[in-house]
Coordinates of all heavy atoms in Angstrom, one line a residue:
M1 N 21.3 7.3 7.4 CA 21.0 7.3 5.9 C 20.3 6.0 5.6 O 20.8 4.9 6.0 CB 22.3 7.4 5.1 CG 22.1 7.3 3.6 SD 23.6 7.7 2.8 CE 23.1 7.5 1.1
S2 N 19.2 6.0 4.9 CA 18.4 4.8 4.6 C 19.0 4.2 3.3 O 19.5 4.8 2.5 CB 16.9 5.1 4.5 OG 16.7 5.9 3.3
T3 N 18.8 2.9 3.2 CA 19.2 2.2 2.0 C 17.9 1.6 1.4 O 16.9 1.7 2.0 CB 20.1 1.0 2.3 OG1 19.4 0.0 3.1 CG2 21.3 1.5 3.1
A4 N 18.0 1.0 0.2 CA 16.8 0.5 -0.4 C 16.2 -0.7 0.4 O 15.0 -0.8 0.5 CB 17.2 -0.1 -1.8
F5 N 17.1 -1.3 1.2 CA 16.6 -2.4 2.0 C 15.8 -2.0 3.2 O 15.1 -2.7 4.0 CB 17.7 -3.3 2.4 CG 18.2 -4.1 1.3 CD1 19.4 -3.6 0.7 CD2 17.7 -5.2 0.7 CE1 19.9 -4.3 -0.5 CE2 18.1 -5.8 -0.4 CZ 19.3 -5.4 -1.0
D6 N 15.9 -0.6 3.6 CA 15.1 -0.1 4.7 C 13.8 0.3 4.2 O 12.9 0.7 5.1 CB 15.8 1.2 5.2 CG 17.1 0.8 5.9 OD1 17.2 -0.3 6.4 OD2 18.0 1.6 5.8
K7 N 13.4 0.3 3.0 CA 12.2 0.8 2.4 C 11.1 -0.2 2.8 O 11.3 -1.4 2.8 CB 12.3 1.1 1.0 CG 13.1 2.3 0.7 CD 13.2 2.7 -0.7 CE 14.1 4.0 -0.8 NZ 14.2 4.4 -2.3
K8 N 9.9 0.3 3.0 CA 8.7 -0.5 3.3 C 7.5 0.0 2.6 O 7.4 1.2 2.4 CB 8.5 -0.5 4.8 CG 9.5 -0.9 5.8 CD 9.2 -0.8 7.2 CE 10.3 -1.2 8.2 NZ 10.0 -1.0 9.5
A9 N 6.6 -0.9 2.3 CA 5.3 -0.6 2.0 C 4.4 -1.2 3.1 O 4.3 -2.3 3.3 CB 4.9 -1.3 0.6
L10 N 3.8 -0.3 3.8 CA 2.9 -0.6 4.9 C 1.4 -0.6 4.4 O 0.9 0.4 4.0 CB 3.1 0.5 6.0 CG 4.5 0.6 6.5 CD1 4.6 1.9 7.3 CD2 5.0 -0.6 7.2
V11 N 0.9 -1.8 4.6 CA -0.5 -2.1 4.2 C -1.4 -2.0 5.5 O -1.2 -2.9 6.3 CB -0.6 -3.3 3.5 CG1 -2.1 -3.6 3.0 CG2 0.3 -3.5 2.2
C12 N -2.3 -1.0 5.6 CA -3.2 -1.1 6.7 C -4.2 -2.3 6.6 O -4.9 -2.4 5.6 CB -4.0 0.2 6.7 SG -5.2 0.2 8.1
T13 N -4.1 -3.1 7.6 CA -5.0 -4.3 7.6 C -6.0 -4.2 8.8 O -6.5 -5.2 9.2 CB -4.3 -5.6 7.6 OG1 -3.3 -5.6 8.8 CG2 -3.5 -5.8 6.3
N14 N -6.1 -3.0 9.4 CA -7.0 -2.9 10.5 C -8.4 -3.3 10.0 O -8.9 -2.8 9.0 CB -7.0 -1.4 11.0 CG -7.8 -1.3 12.3 OD1 -7.7 -2.0 13.2 ND2 -8.7 -0.3 12.2
F15 N -9.1 -4.0 10.9 CA -10.5 -4.5 10.6 C -11.5 -4.1 11.6 O -11.3 -4.2 12.8 CB -10.5 -6.1 10.5 CG -11.8 -6.6 10.1 CD1 -12.2 -6.8 8.8 CD2 -12.7 -6.9 11.1 CE1 -13.4 -7.2 8.5 CE2 -14.0 -7.4 10.8 CZ -14.3 -7.6 9.5
R16 N -12.5 -3.5 11.2 CA -13.7 -3.1 11.9 C -14.9 -3.7 11.3 O -15.1 -3.5 10.1 CB -13.9 -1.6 12.1 CG -12.9 -0.9 12.9 CD -13.3 0.5 13.1 NE -12.2 1.3 13.3 CZ -11.4 2.0 12.5 NH1 -11.8 1.9 11.2 NH2 -10.3 2.6 12.8
A17 N -15.7 -4.4 12.1 CA -16.9 -5.0 11.5 C -18.0 -4.0 11.4 O -19.0 -4.3 10.7 CB -17.3 -6.2 12.5
N18 N -17.9 -2.9 12.1 CA -18.9 -1.9 12.0 C -19.0 -1.2 10.6 O -18.1 -0.5 10.3 CB -18.7 -0.8 13.1 CG -19.8 0.3 13.2 OD1 -20.6 0.3 12.3 ND2 -19.8 1.0 14.2
P19 N -20.2 -1.5 9.9 CA -20.2 -0.8 8.5 C -20.3 0.6 8.5 O -20.1 1.3 7.5 CB -21.5 -1.6 7.9 CG -22.3 -1.9 9.2 CD -21.3 -2.3 10.2
N20 N -20.7 1.2 9.7 CA -20.8 2.7 9.8 C -19.4 3.4 10.0 O -19.3 4.6 10.0 CB -21.7 3.1 10.9 CG -23.1 2.7 10.6 OD1 -23.5 2.7 9.4 ND2 -23.8 2.0 11.6
H21 N -18.4 2.5 10.3 CA -17.0 3.1 10.5 C -16.1 2.2 9.6 O -15.7 1.1 10.0 CB -16.7 2.9 12.0 CG -15.5 3.8 12.3 ND1 -15.2 4.2 13.6 CD2 -14.4 4.2 11.6 CE1 -14.1 5.0 13.6 NE2 -13.6 4.9 12.4
P22 N -15.8 2.7 8.5 CA -15.0 1.9 7.5 C -13.7 1.6 8.0 O -13.1 2.2 8.7 CB -15.0 2.8 6.3 CG -15.2 4.1 6.8 CD -16.0 4.1 8.0
S23 N -13.2 0.4 7.4 CA -11.8 0.0 7.7 C -11.1 -0.6 6.5 O -11.9 -1.2 5.7 CB -11.7 -0.9 8.9 OG -12.4 -2.2 8.6
C24 N -9.9 -0.5 6.4 CA -9.1 -1.1 5.3 C -9.3 -2.6 5.3 O -9.5 -3.2 4.2 CB -7.6 -0.8 5.4 SG -7.4 1.0 5.3
G25 N -9.3 -3.2 6.5 CA -9.4 -4.7 6.5 C -10.8 -5.1 6.0 O -10.9 -6.2 5.3
A26 N -11.9 -4.4 6.3 CA -13.2 -4.8 5.9 C -13.3 -4.6 4.4 O -14.3 -5.1 3.7 CB -14.2 -3.9 6.7
R27 N -12.4 -3.7 3.7 CA -12.4 -3.5 2.3 C -11.4 -4.4 1.6 O -11.2 -4.1 0.4 CB -12.2 -2.1 2.0 CG -13.3 -1.2 2.5 CD -12.8 0.3 2.4 NE -13.9 1.2 2.5 CZ -13.7 2.5 2.8 NH1 -12.5 3.1 2.8 NH2 -14.7 3.3 2.9
G28 N -10.9 -5.4 2.2 CA -10.1 -6.4 1.5 C -8.6 -6.1 1.4 O -7.9 -6.7 0.6
S29 N -8.1 -5.4 2.4 CA -6.6 -5.1 2.4 C -5.8 -6.3 2.6 O -4.6 -6.3 2.2 CB -6.3 -4.0 3.3 OG -6.6 -4.3 4.6
D30 N -6.3 -7.4 3.3 CA -5.5 -8.6 3.5 C -5.2 -9.1 2.1 O -4.0 -9.7 1.9 CB -6.2 -9.6 4.3 CG -5.9 -9.5 5.8 OD1 -5.0 -8.9 6.1 OD2 -6.8 -9.9 6.5
K31 N -6.1 -9.1 1.2 CA -5.9 -9.7 -0.1 C -4.7 -8.8 -0.9 O -3.9 -9.4 -1.5 CB -7.1 -9.6 -1.1 CG -7.0 -10.3 -2.4 CD -8.3 -10.2 -3.2 CE -9.4 -11.0 -2.6 NZ -10.6 -11.0 -3.5
I32 N -4.8 -7.5 -0.7 CA -3.7 -6.6 -1.2 C -2.4 -6.9 -0.6 O -1.4 -7.0 -1.3 CB -4.2 -5.2 -1.1 CG1 -5.4 -5.0 -1.9 CG2 -3.0 -4.3 -1.4 CD1 -6.2 -3.7 -1.5
F33 N -2.4 -7.2 0.7 CA -1.2 -7.4 1.4 C -0.5 -8.7 0.9 O 0.6 -8.8 0.5 CB -1.4 -7.5 2.9 CG -0.1 -8.1 3.6 CD1 0.9 -7.3 3.9 CD2 -0.2 -9.4 4.0 CE1 2.1 -7.9 4.6 CE2 0.9 -10.0 4.7 CZ 2.0 -9.2 5.0
I34 N -1.3 -9.7 0.7 CA -0.8 -11.0 0.2 C -0.3 -10.9 -1.2 O 0.8 -11.4 -1.6 CB -2.0 -12.1 0.3 CG1 -2.2 -12.5 1.8 CG2 -1.5 -13.4 -0.5 CD1 -3.4 -13.2 2.0
A35 N -1.1 -10.2 -2.1 CA -0.7 -10.1 -3.5 C 0.6 -9.3 -3.6 O 1.5 -9.6 -4.4 CB -1.8 -9.4 -4.3
L36 N 0.8 -8.2 -2.8 CA 2.0 -7.4 -2.8 C 3.2 -8.2 -2.4 O 4.3 -8.2 -2.9 CB 1.9 -6.1 -2.1 CG 1.0 -5.0 -2.6 CD1 0.8 -3.9 -1.6 CD2 1.6 -4.5 -3.9
S37 N 2.9 -9.0 -1.3 CA 4.0 -9.9 -0.8 C 4.5 -10.9 -1.8 O 5.7 -11.1 -1.9 CB 3.5 -10.5 0.5 OG 3.2 -9.6 1.5
E38 N 3.6 -11.4 -2.5 CA 3.9 -12.4 -3.5 C 4.6 -11.8 -4.7 O 5.6 -12.3 -5.2 CB 2.7 -13.2 -3.9 CG 2.1 -14.1 -2.8 CD 0.8 -14.8 -3.2 OE1 0.3 -14.5 -4.3 OE2 0.4 -15.6 -2.4
Q39 N 4.1 -10.7 -5.1 CA 4.5 -10.0 -6.3 C 5.9 -9.4 -6.2 O 6.7 -9.4 -7.1 CB 3.5 -8.9 -6.8 CG 3.9 -8.3 -8.1 CD 3.5 -9.1 -9.3 OE1 2.7 -9.9 -9.2 NE2 4.1 -8.8 -10.4
L40 N 6.2 -8.9 -5.0 CA 7.4 -8.0 -4.8 C 8.4 -8.8 -3.9 O 9.3 -8.0 -3.5 CB 7.0 -6.7 -4.2 CG 6.0 -5.9 -5.0 CD1 5.6 -4.6 -4.3 CD2 6.5 -5.6 -6.4
H41 N 8.3 -10.0 -3.6 CA 9.1 -10.7 -2.7 C 10.6 -10.6 -3.1 O 11.5 -10.7 -2.2 CB 8.7 -12.1 -2.5 CG 9.0 -13.1 -3.6 ND1 8.2 -13.1 -4.7 CD2 10.1 -13.8 -3.9 CE1 8.7 -14.0 -5.6 NE2 9.8 -14.4 -5.1
N42 N 10.9 -10.5 -4.3 CA 12.3 -10.5 -4.8 C 12.9 -9.1 -4.9 O 14.0 -8.9 -5.3 CB 12.5 -11.3 -6.1 CG 11.7 -10.7 -7.2 OD1 10.8 -9.9 -6.9 ND2 12.0 -11.1 -8.4
L43 N 12.2 -8.1 -4.5 CA 12.7 -6.7 -4.6 C 13.1 -6.2 -3.2 O 12.6 -6.7 -2.2 CB 11.5 -5.8 -5.1 CG 11.1 -6.1 -6.6 CD1 10.0 -5.2 -7.0 CD2 12.3 -6.1 -7.5
P44 N 13.9 -5.2 -3.2 CA 14.5 -4.7 -1.9 C 13.5 -3.8 -1.1 O 13.8 -2.6 -1.0 CB 15.7 -4.0 -2.3 CG 15.5 -3.5 -3.7 CD 14.6 -4.5 -4.3
I45 N 12.4 -4.3 -0.8 CA 11.4 -3.6 0.0 C 10.7 -4.6 0.9 O 10.4 -5.7 0.5 CB 10.4 -2.8 -0.9 CG1 9.6 -1.8 -0.1 CG2 9.6 -3.8 -1.7 CD1 8.9 -0.7 -0.8
K46 N 10.4 -4.2 2.1 CA 9.6 -5.0 3.0 C 8.1 -4.7 2.9 O 7.7 -3.4 2.9 CB 10.0 -4.8 4.4 CG 11.4 -5.2 4.7 CD 11.9 -4.8 6.1 CE 13.3 -5.1 6.4 NZ 13.7 -4.5 7.7
I47 N 7.3 -5.6 2.7 CA 5.8 -5.4 2.7 C 5.3 -5.9 4.1 O 5.5 -7.0 4.5 CB 5.1 -6.3 1.6 CG1 5.8 -6.2 0.3 CG2 3.7 -6.0 1.5 CD1 5.9 -4.8 -0.3
E48 N 4.8 -4.9 4.8 CA 4.4 -5.2 6.2 C 2.9 -4.8 6.4 O 2.5 -3.8 5.8 CB 5.2 -4.4 7.2 CG 6.7 -4.9 7.1 CD 7.6 -4.1 8.2 OE1 7.1 -3.2 9.0 OE2 8.7 -4.5 8.3
K49 N 2.3 -5.5 7.3 CA 0.9 -5.1 7.8 C 1.1 -3.8 8.7 O 2.1 -3.8 9.5 CB 0.2 -6.2 8.5 CG -0.1 -7.3 7.6 CD -0.9 -8.4 8.3 CE -1.3 -9.5 7.3 NZ -2.1 -10.5 8.1
S50 N 0.1 -3.0 8.7 CA 0.1 -1.8 9.6 C -1.3 -1.8 10.3 O -2.2 -2.0 9.8 CB 0.3 -0.6 8.7 OG 0.1 0.6 9.5
P51 N -1.2 -1.1 11.5 CA -2.5 -0.8 12.1 C -3.1 0.5 11.4 O -2.5 1.0 10.6 CB -2.0 -0.4 13.6 CG -0.6 -0.1 13.5 CD 0.0 -0.8 12.3
C52 N -4.1 0.9 12.0 CA -4.9 2.0 11.3 C -4.0 3.3 11.2 O -3.2 3.6 12.0 CB -6.1 2.4 12.3 SG -7.0 3.8 11.6
M53 N -4.1 3.9 10.0 CA -3.3 5.1 9.7 C -4.1 6.3 9.9 O -3.6 7.4 9.6 CB -2.8 5.0 8.2 CG -2.0 3.8 8.0 SD -1.6 3.6 6.2 CE -0.5 2.2 6.2
G54 N -5.4 6.2 10.3 CA -6.2 7.4 10.5 C -6.8 8.0 9.2 O -7.4 9.1 9.3
L55 N -6.7 7.2 8.1 CA -7.3 7.7 6.8 C -8.4 6.7 6.4 O -8.4 6.4 5.2 CB -6.2 7.8 5.8 CG -5.1 8.8 6.2 CD1 -3.9 8.7 5.1 CD2 -5.6 10.2 6.2
C56 N -9.1 6.2 7.3 CA -10.0 5.1 7.1 C -11.0 5.4 5.9 O -11.3 4.5 5.1 CB -10.8 4.8 8.4 SG -9.8 4.7 9.8
H57 N -11.5 6.5 5.8 CA -12.5 6.8 4.7 C -11.9 6.8 3.3 O -12.6 6.7 2.4 CB -13.2 8.1 5.0 CG -14.2 8.1 6.1 ND1 -15.5 7.6 6.0 CD2 -13.9 8.4 7.4 CE1 -16.0 7.6 7.2 NE2 -15.2 8.2 8.1
D58 N -10.5 6.9 3.2 CA -9.8 6.8 2.0 C -9.2 5.4 1.7 O -8.5 5.3 0.7 CB -8.7 7.9 1.9 CG -9.2 9.3 2.1 OD1 -10.4 9.6 1.6 OD2 -8.6 10.1 2.7
G59 N -9.5 4.5 2.5 CA -8.8 3.2 2.4 C -9.4 2.3 1.3 O -10.4 2.7 0.7
P60 N -8.8 1.2 1.2 CA -7.6 0.7 1.8 C -6.4 1.5 1.5 O -6.3 2.1 0.4 CB -7.5 -0.7 1.2 CG -8.7 -1.2 0.8 CD -9.4 0.1 0.3
N61 N -5.5 1.7 2.5 CA -4.4 2.5 2.3 C -3.0 1.8 2.4 O -2.9 0.8 3.2 CB -4.3 3.6 3.5 CG -5.6 4.5 3.5 OD1 -5.7 5.3 2.5 ND2 -6.4 4.4 4.5
V62 N -2.1 2.2 1.6 CA -0.8 1.8 1.7 C 0.1 3.0 1.9 O 0.0 4.0 1.2 CB -0.3 1.0 0.4 CG1 1.1 0.7 0.4 CG2 -1.3 -0.2 0.1
R63 N 1.1 2.9 2.8 CA 2.1 4.0 3.0 C 3.4 3.5 2.6 O 3.9 2.5 3.0 CB 2.0 4.5 4.4 CG 3.0 5.6 4.6 CD 2.9 6.2 6.1 NE 4.0 7.1 6.3 CZ 4.8 7.1 7.3 NH1 4.7 6.2 8.2 NH2 5.7 8.0 7.4
L64 N 4.1 4.4 1.8 CA 5.5 4.1 1.5 C 6.4 4.8 2.4 O 6.3 6.0 2.7 CB 5.8 4.5 0.1 CG 4.9 3.9 -1.0 CD1 5.2 4.4 -2.4 CD2 4.9 2.4 -1.0
A65 N 7.4 4.0 3.0 CA 8.2 4.6 4.1 C 9.7 4.1 3.8 O 9.9 3.1 3.3 CB 7.7 4.1 5.4
P66 N 10.6 5.0 4.3 CA 10.3 6.3 4.9 C 10.1 7.4 3.8 O 10.6 7.3 2.7 CB 11.7 6.5 5.6 CG 12.7 5.8 4.7 CD 12.0 4.6 4.2
N67 N 9.4 8.4 4.2 CA 9.2 9.6 3.5 C 8.4 9.4 2.2 O 8.5 10.3 1.3 CB 10.6 10.2 3.2 CG 11.4 10.5 4.4 OD1 10.8 11.0 5.5 ND2 12.7 10.3 4.4
G68 N 7.8 8.4 2.0 CA 6.9 8.2 0.8 C 5.5 8.7 1.0 O 5.1 9.1 2.2
R69 N 4.7 8.5 0.0 CA 3.4 9.0 0.1 C 2.4 7.9 0.5 O 2.8 6.7 0.6 CB 3.0 9.6 -1.2 CG 2.6 8.7 -2.3 CD 2.1 9.5 -3.5 NE 1.5 8.6 -4.5 CZ 0.1 8.4 -4.5 NH1 -0.7 9.0 -3.7 NH2 -0.3 7.7 -5.5
F70 N 1.2 8.3 0.8 CA 0.1 7.4 1.0 C -0.5 7.1 -0.3 O -0.7 8.0 -1.1 CB -1.0 8.0 1.9 CG -0.6 8.1 3.4 CD1 0.0 9.2 3.9 CD2 -0.8 7.0 4.3 CE1 0.4 9.3 5.2 CE2 -0.6 7.1 5.6 CZ 0.1 8.2 6.1
I71 N -0.8 5.8 -0.6 CA -1.6 5.4 -1.7 C -2.9 5.0 -1.2 O -3.1 4.2 -0.3 CB -0.9 4.3 -2.5 CG1 0.5 4.5 -2.8 CG2 -1.7 4.0 -3.7 CD1 1.3 3.3 -3.4
N72 N -4.0 5.8 -1.6 CA -5.3 5.6 -1.1 C -6.2 4.8 -2.1 O -5.9 4.7 -3.3 CB -6.0 6.9 -0.8 CG -5.1 7.8 0.1 OD1 -4.6 8.9 -0.4 ND2 -4.8 7.5 1.3
E73 N -7.3 4.3 -1.5 CA -8.3 3.6 -2.3 C -7.6 2.5 -3.1 O -7.9 2.4 -4.4 CB -9.1 4.6 -3.2 CG -9.8 5.6 -2.3 CD -10.6 6.6 -3.1 OE1 -10.5 6.7 -4.4 OE2 -11.4 7.3 -2.5
V74 N -6.8 1.7 -2.5 CA -6.1 0.6 -3.2 C -7.1 -0.5 -3.4 O -7.8 -0.8 -2.5 CB -4.9 0.2 -2.3 CG1 -4.3 -1.1 -2.9 CG2 -3.9 1.3 -2.2
D75 N -7.1 -1.1 -4.6 CA -7.9 -2.3 -4.8 C -7.2 -3.1 -5.8 O -6.2 -2.6 -6.5 CB -9.3 -2.0 -5.1 CG -9.5 -1.3 -6.4 OD1 -8.7 -1.4 -7.3 OD2 -10.5 -0.5 -6.5
M76 N -7.6 -4.3 -6.1 CA -7.0 -5.2 -7.0 C -7.0 -4.8 -8.4 O -6.2 -5.1 -9.2 CB -7.6 -6.7 -6.8 CG -7.3 -7.3 -5.4 SD -5.4 -7.3 -5.0 CE -4.9 -8.5 -6.3
Q77 N -8.0 -4.0 -8.8 CA -8.1 -3.5 -10.1 C -7.0 -2.5 -10.4 O -6.6 -2.3 -11.6 CB -9.4 -2.7 -10.4 CG -10.6 -3.7 -10.3 CD -11.9 -3.1 -10.5 OE1 -12.1 -1.9 -10.2 NE2 -12.9 -3.9 -10.9
K78 N -6.4 -1.8 -9.4 CA -5.3 -0.9 -9.5 C -4.0 -1.5 -9.1 O -3.0 -0.8 -9.1 CB -5.5 0.3 -8.6 CG -6.8 1.1 -8.8 CD -6.9 2.1 -7.8 CE -8.2 2.9 -7.9 NZ -8.4 3.8 -6.7
F79 N -4.0 -2.8 -9.1 CA -2.8 -3.6 -8.5 C -1.5 -3.3 -9.3 O -0.5 -3.0 -8.8 CB -3.1 -5.0 -8.4 CG -1.9 -5.8 -7.8 CD1 -1.8 -5.7 -6.4 CD2 -1.1 -6.5 -8.4 CE1 -0.8 -6.3 -5.7 CE2 0.0 -7.2 -7.8 CZ 0.1 -7.1 -6.4
E80 N -1.7 -3.3 -10.7 CA -0.4 -3.0 -11.5 C 0.1 -1.6 -11.3 O 1.3 -1.4 -11.2 CB -0.8 -3.3 -12.9 CG 0.5 -3.4 -13.8 CD 0.3 -4.1 -15.1 OE1 -0.5 -5.1 -15.2 OE2 1.0 -3.8 -16.0
L81 N -0.8 -0.6 -11.3 CA -0.4 0.8 -11.0 C 0.4 0.8 -9.6 O 1.3 1.6 -9.5 CB -1.6 1.7 -11.1 CG -2.2 1.9 -12.4 CD1 -3.5 2.7 -12.3 CD2 -1.2 2.6 -13.3
I82 N -0.2 0.2 -8.6 CA 0.4 0.3 -7.3 C 1.8 -0.3 -7.3 O 2.7 0.2 -6.8 CB -0.5 -0.4 -6.2 CG1 -1.8 0.4 -6.2 CG2 0.1 -0.5 -4.9 CD1 -2.9 -0.4 -5.7
T83 N 1.9 -1.5 -7.9 CA 3.2 -2.1 -7.9 C 4.2 -1.2 -8.7 O 5.4 -1.2 -8.3 CB 3.2 -3.6 -8.6 OG1 2.7 -3.4 -9.9 CG2 2.4 -4.5 -7.7
E84 N 3.8 -0.6 -9.8 CA 4.7 0.3 -10.5 C 5.2 1.5 -9.6 O 6.3 1.9 -9.7 CB 4.1 0.8 -11.8 CG 3.9 -0.3 -12.9 CD 5.2 -1.0 -13.2 OE1 6.2 -0.3 -13.4 OE2 5.2 -2.2 -13.2
E85 N 4.2 2.0 -8.9 CA 4.5 3.1 -7.9 C 5.6 2.7 -6.8 O 6.5 3.4 -6.5 CB 3.3 3.7 -7.3 CG 3.7 4.9 -6.4 CD 2.6 5.8 -6.2 OE1 1.5 5.7 -6.8 OE2 2.7 6.7 -5.4
I86 N 5.3 1.4 -6.4 CA 6.3 0.9 -5.4 C 7.7 0.7 -6.0 O 8.7 1.0 -5.4 CB 5.7 -0.4 -4.7 CG1 4.4 -0.1 -3.9 CG2 6.7 -1.1 -3.9 CD1 3.7 -1.2 -3.4
K87 N 7.7 0.2 -7.2 CA 9.0 0.0 -7.9 C 9.7 1.4 -8.1 O 10.9 1.4 -8.0 CB 8.8 -0.7 -9.2 CG 8.5 -2.2 -9.0 CD 8.2 -2.9 -10.4 CE 7.7 -4.3 -10.1 NZ 7.3 -4.9 -11.4
A88 N 8.9 2.4 -8.4 CA 9.5 3.7 -8.6 C 10.0 4.2 -7.2 O 11.1 4.9 -7.2 CB 8.5 4.7 -9.2
F89 N 9.3 3.9 -6.2 CA 9.8 4.3 -4.9 C 11.1 3.6 -4.5 O 12.0 4.3 -3.9 CB 8.7 4.0 -3.8 CG 9.0 4.3 -2.4 CD1 9.2 5.7 -2.0 CD2 9.3 3.3 -1.5 CE1 9.5 5.9 -0.7 CE2 9.5 3.6 -0.2 CZ 9.7 4.9 0.2
I90 N 11.2 2.4 -4.8 CA 12.4 1.7 -4.5 C 13.6 2.3 -5.3 O 14.7 2.4 -4.7 CB 12.2 0.2 -5.0 CG1 11.2 -0.5 -4.1 CG2 13.6 -0.5 -4.9 CD1 10.8 -1.9 -4.6
A91 N 13.4 2.7 -6.5 CA 14.5 3.2 -7.3 C 14.9 4.6 -6.9 O 16.0 5.0 -7.3 CB 14.0 3.2 -8.8
C92 N 14.1 5.4 -6.2 CA 14.5 6.8 -5.9 C 15.4 6.9 -4.7 O 15.4 6.0 -4.0 CB 13.3 7.6 -5.7 SG 12.3 7.4 -4.3
Ligands
FES101 S1 -8.5 1.3 9.0 FE1 -7.0 1.7 7.5 S2 -6.5 3.7 7.8 FE2 -8.0 3.4 9.4

């Protein structure tokens, strides 16, 4: 049985320099990882970097685990919505 402290938000930070093969890292996911880590550090969830999730064209991607959904096309303009979704995930 998982507890709130087992929950994670996995941020894909895989980087590819090839502009013909998109990657979350090339789209600024490091900035999202840092912002989430700073914003949510006092909540019972781990914010971790992740390798490629195989959804590169929909990135940057964040996956809520365990059993959470993928949040696609994450960017700083949607940051508040993303943090609210993560907080709802923690509460469920
Ligand atoms: S590079 Fe992020 S899902 Fe592939």
